Amino acid sequence: MKLRIEMERKELNRLAQRYGLRHKRVIHQSVLLDGLLNKYNKFTDVRRKQPIA
């Protein structure tokens, strides 16, 4: 998942440089990356809260 996040982050930077921050492609990519980051954070947060048996 970390690799996918990094790939999407690079794509966001590439699109932002090409189109500017307000372009619909950039905004769409940003939303996609935010979703991945939220899933990753939720996953890692759940793992930290699980008791060690």
Side-chain angles (χ1 to χ4, degrees):
M1 180 160 246
K2 287 182 182 182
L3 180 60
R4 170 90 191 274
I5 289 170
E6 191 56 37
M7 287 172 46
E8 299 298 348
R9 186 184 320 249
K10 287 179 182 179
E11 179 65 5
L12 176 61
N13 288 329
R14 186 187 72 77
L15 290 170
Q17 287 179 352
R18 183 172 182 178
Y19 298 108
L21 294 176
R22 295 183 182 205
H23 193 276
K24 65 181 179 178
R25 289 183 182 182
V26 176
I27 293 169
H28 175 77
Q29 185 67 21
S30 178
V31 169
L32 189 148
L33 179 58
D34 284 348
L36 287 173
L37 289 168
N38 288 338
K39 285 180 185 177
Y40 179 77
N41 287 333
K42 192 175 196 179
F43 174 75
T44 57
D45 189 45
V46 167
R47 288 183 58 187
R48 273 185 258 143
K49 290 182 179 180
Q50 290 179 348
I52 299 173

